[in-house]
């Protein structure tokens, strides 16, 4: 029987479904988390073979001892996964320390976490990249800006999401950036790109072959959503664009990805760019060696009439799946704000779109800055129907 350690099976709150499908496939699912067992939902408890509570997942020594206990009790560990960006480095450290060869090791982490290193892989895969500069001092940044022009975008080279990002429009913004940036953090500065985000989301088997593929489109940057407390809107495409599939598969090959759920992000130009190409050109953004976060796995299910939790668990257990995708839809995410005065009430929206809405829920406070305070997931056969839904839910008084 295979043994898998799953880190933080209780958060995000939908991730117990990965564990349930693993257990259904006959694996020992060994959870490590910092929430008391009695506070786990019954679904979370039932999806695990055993659970080990630590005081904090931030304390690697505690997590190491938990993994050692499971190794002693159940034998060799075959997989360590969290499917969570925040714990990728600790996952890799456990694989290194326990000689688990079914995922990235600690030595691989810089290449999958540092945005500047990701560019090297995009270039080798034939994907256009934005010009960039690793922030050093004011003089160095001014020299880079003289080359590419304002605005520029600065963010931590090793960062998650939109945390501490800066859109720099002029010299005053540049001065404020140097005043406000984290002093011990390395930043990357890039030329600003007028684009929307297109993603390649896939489950990859042990031979590097995709057994599930989809993708999403995010019209607005996460940084703008967070910084402006705006609505969070994105959608799973009905069918993956050929260039997204081509570049996504090229990146899988370049990184040597095996036995993983991946979320690779690209920019699609909304206007011509002198150093990249014409509007519509696909170019690099960043790689994520885990599923797209939050409720995206559920959205993939609604968009493909399938179950990606099971497909991923089948890949782990059997290195294949017999579960296929069904009818395709656009599945939209609409994250809304309590601070906004919307014209259409929740009651009105729920009644009008009763046949389309798959989920209406409050967002966990930890995810709310990027996702909104409450959320709708809704599926539609056409993009025009999706756009009408977005218009109705976001229209303000």
């Amino acid at each position: 029987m295979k043994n898998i350690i799953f880190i933080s099976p209780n958060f995000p709150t939908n991730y117990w479904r990965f564990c349930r499908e693993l257990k259904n496939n006959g694996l020992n699912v060994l959870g490590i988390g910092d929430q008391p067992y009695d506070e786990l939902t019954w679904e979370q408890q039932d999806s695990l073979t055993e659970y080990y509570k630590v005081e904090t997942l931030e304390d690697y020594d505690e997590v190491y001892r938990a993994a050692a206990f499971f190794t002693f009790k159940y034998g060799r560990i075959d997989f360590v996964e969290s499917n969570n960006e925040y714990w990728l480095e600790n996952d890799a450290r456990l694989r290194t320390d326990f000689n688990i060869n079914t995922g990235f090791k600690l030595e691989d982490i810089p290449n999958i976490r540092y945005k500047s290193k990701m560019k090297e892989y995009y270039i080798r895969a034939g994907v256009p990249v934005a010009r960039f500069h690793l922030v050093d001092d004011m003089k160095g940044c001014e020299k880079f800006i003289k080359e590419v022009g304002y605005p520029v975008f600065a963010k931590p080279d090793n960062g998650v999401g939109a945390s501490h990002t800066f859109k720099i429009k002029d010299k005053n913004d540049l001065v404020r950036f140097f005043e406000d940036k984290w002093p011990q953090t390395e930043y990357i500065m890039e030329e600003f790109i007028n684009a929307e985000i297109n993603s390649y989301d896939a489950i990859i088997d042990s031979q590097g072959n995709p057994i599930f593929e989809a993708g999403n489109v995010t019209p607005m940057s996460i940084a703008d959503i967070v910084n402006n407390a705006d609505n969070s809107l994105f959608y799973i495409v009905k069918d993956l664009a050929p260039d997204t599939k081509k570049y996504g598969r090229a990146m899988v090959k370049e990184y040597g990805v095996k036995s993983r759920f991946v979320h690779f992000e690209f920019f699609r130009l909304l206007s011509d760019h002198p150093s990249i190409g014409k509007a519509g050109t696909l170019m690099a953004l960043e790689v994520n060696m885990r599923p797209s976060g939050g409720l995206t796995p559920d959205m993939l299910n609604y968009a493909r009439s399938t179950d990606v939790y099971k497909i991923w668990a089948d890949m782990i257990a059997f290195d294949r799946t017999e579960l296929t995708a069904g009818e395709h839809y656009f599945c939209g995410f609409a994250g809304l704000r309590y601070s906004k005065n919307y014209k259409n009430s929740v009651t009105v929206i729920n009644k009008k779109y009763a046949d389309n809405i798959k989920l209406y829920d409050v967002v966990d406070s930890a995810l709310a800055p990027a996702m909104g305070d409450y959320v709708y997931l809704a599926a539609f056969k056409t993009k025009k129907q999706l756009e009408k839904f977005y218009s109705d839910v976001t229209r303000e008084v």
Side-chain angles (χ1 to χ4, degrees):
M1 179 179 289
K2 289 183 178 180
N3 299 316
I4 181 168
I5 290 177
F6 200 96
I7 304 297
S8 188
N10 57 302
F11 186 84
T13 54
N14 51 321
Y15 274 28
W16 64 269
R17 292 183 171 89
F18 287 118
C19 297
R20 177 188 63 190
E21 298 303 331
L22 289 167
K23 191 175 180 182
N24 287 343
N25 282 343
L27 276 72
N28 281 322
V29 186
L30 310 170
I32 301 176
D34 54 15
Q35 186 171 353
Y37 181 78
D38 291 343
E39 294 179 11
L40 301 181
T41 66
W42 73 265
E43 294 98 340
Q44 292 166 353
Q45 292 178 359
D46 191 57
S47 68
L48 301 172
T49 305
E50 189 167 350
Y51 180 74
Y52 191 113
K53 181 196 174 297
V54 295
E55 287 302 311
T56 172
L57 289 169
E58 301 281 358
D59 186 337
Y60 179 74
D61 288 341
E62 270 200 288
V63 176
Y64 177 92
R65 288 194 295 272
F69 169 78
F70 283 143
T71 302
F72 174 78
K73 184 170 181 179
Y74 293 94
R76 182 176 178 82
I77 304 300
D78 299 288
F79 291 89
V80 171
E81 295 295 346
S82 65
N83 282 342
N84 190 323
E85 182 74 27
Y86 193 79
W87 303 118
L88 284 184
E89 187 166 340
N90 271 5
D91 293 350
R93 192 172 177 184
L94 284 173
R95 293 190 201 102
T96 301
D97 288 346
F98 287 88
N99 194 29
I100 300 165
N101 298 314
T102 50
F104 291 109
K105 299 287 190 70
L106 200 54
E107 64 191 28
D108 301 313
I109 288 299
N111 292 329
I112 65 175
R113 292 298 298 270
Y114 285 85
K115 297 173 178 61
S116 56
K117 293 185 179 297
M118 294 175 191
K119 289 182 182 292
E120 301 171 13
Y121 287 82
Y122 275 114
I123 291 169
R124 292 203 296 267
V127 185
V129 302
R131 290 171 289 182
F132 71 98
H133 171 71
L134 288 176
V135 172
D136 42 13
D137 54 23
M138 181 74 74
K139 184 177 179 180
C141 289
E142 287 181 320
K143 181 180 179 181
F144 172 70
I145 293 169
K146 186 177 181 180
E147 176 189 348
V148 302
Y150 286 109
V152 293
F153 200 77
K155 53 192 174 183
D157 194 23
N158 178 13
V160 178
S163 179
H164 228 245
T165 57
F166 299 83
K167 185 177 180 180
I168 300 169
K169 302 182 291 296
D170 52 33
K171 178 64 178 289
N172 289 334
D173 282 350
L174 183 62
V175 172
R176 281 194 292 271
F177 163 65
F178 274 94
E179 291 173 346
D180 296 343
K181 72 181 184 71
W182 291 326
Q184 303 303 318
T185 298
E186 186 171 36
Y187 282 77
I188 184 172
M189 182 176 286
E190 298 177 310
E191 60 182 325
F192 181 75
I193 304 295
N194 179 30
E196 65 180 14
I197 297 173
N198 285 216
S199 77
Y200 174 80
D201 298 83
I203 299 172
I204 310 299
D205 69 14
S206 69
Q207 302 303 309
N209 301 310
I211 60 174
F212 172 85
E213 293 175 300
N216 69 48
V217 170
T218 305
M220 182 183 293
S221 79
I222 298 298
D224 287 343
I225 293 169
V226 172
N227 294 335
N228 302 325
D230 211 337
N231 300 312
S232 178
L233 307 176
F234 72 97
Y235 59 92
I236 307 298
V237 295
K238 189 173 184 178
D239 294 294
L240 193 59
D243 55 356
T244 309
K245 181 183 292 187
K246 174 186 173 182
Y247 283 156
R249 290 182 175 185
M251 288 297 289
V252 167
K253 183 177 180 180
E254 197 60 48
Y255 264 103
V257 176
K258 296 178 181 179
S259 304
R260 295 207 69 72
F261 209 138
V262 299
H263 172 65
F264 295 160
E265 294 179 341
F266 302 89
F267 272 146
R268 190 175 297 281
L269 297 184
L270 296 175
S271 57
D272 295 351
H273 191 284
S275 71
I276 303 297
K278 297 290 186 181
T281 299
L282 203 66
M283 60 173 292
L285 181 51
E286 63 182 58
V287 302
N288 298 280
M289 297 297 180
R290 41 77 181 172
S292 181
L295 293 168
T296 307
D298 300 276
M299 294 175 65
L300 292 170
N301 290 344
Y302 298 136
R304 294 292 183 272
S305 306
T306 191
D307 187 343
V308 297
Y309 299 105
K310 176 170 174 52
I311 294 172
W312 178 83
D314 286 351
M315 177 273 294
I316 293 292
F318 313 120
D319 202 28
R320 59 181 175 78
T321 186
E322 296 180 358
L323 184 63
T324 58
E327 187 173 358
H328 289 202
Y329 296 89
F330 291 94
C331 184
F333 178 103
L336 307 179
R337 304 289 181 180
Y338 292 134
S339 59
K340 293 181 179 290
N341 187 14
Y342 298 107
K343 181 177 181 180
N344 294 311
S345 67
V346 169
T347 301
V348 168
I349 295 298
N350 284 341
K351 182 177 180 180
K352 182 174 181 178
Y353 291 101
D355 293 337
N356 307 98
I357 292 173
K358 303 298 182 181
L359 177 73
Y360 167 74
D361 203 359
V362 174
V363 176
D364 187 281
S365 60
L367 303 174
M371 295 175 61
D373 299 307
Y374 60 100
V375 61
Y376 293 99
L377 303 185
F380 301 89
K381 290 187 176 181
T382 69
K383 190 176 179 183
K384 185 176 180 180
Q385 293 171 329
L386 172 64
E387 289 171 344
K388 182 63 169 64
F389 169 73
Y390 277 153
S391 176
D392 284 344
V393 296
T394 61
R395 186 179 298 121
E396 297 182 48
V397 176

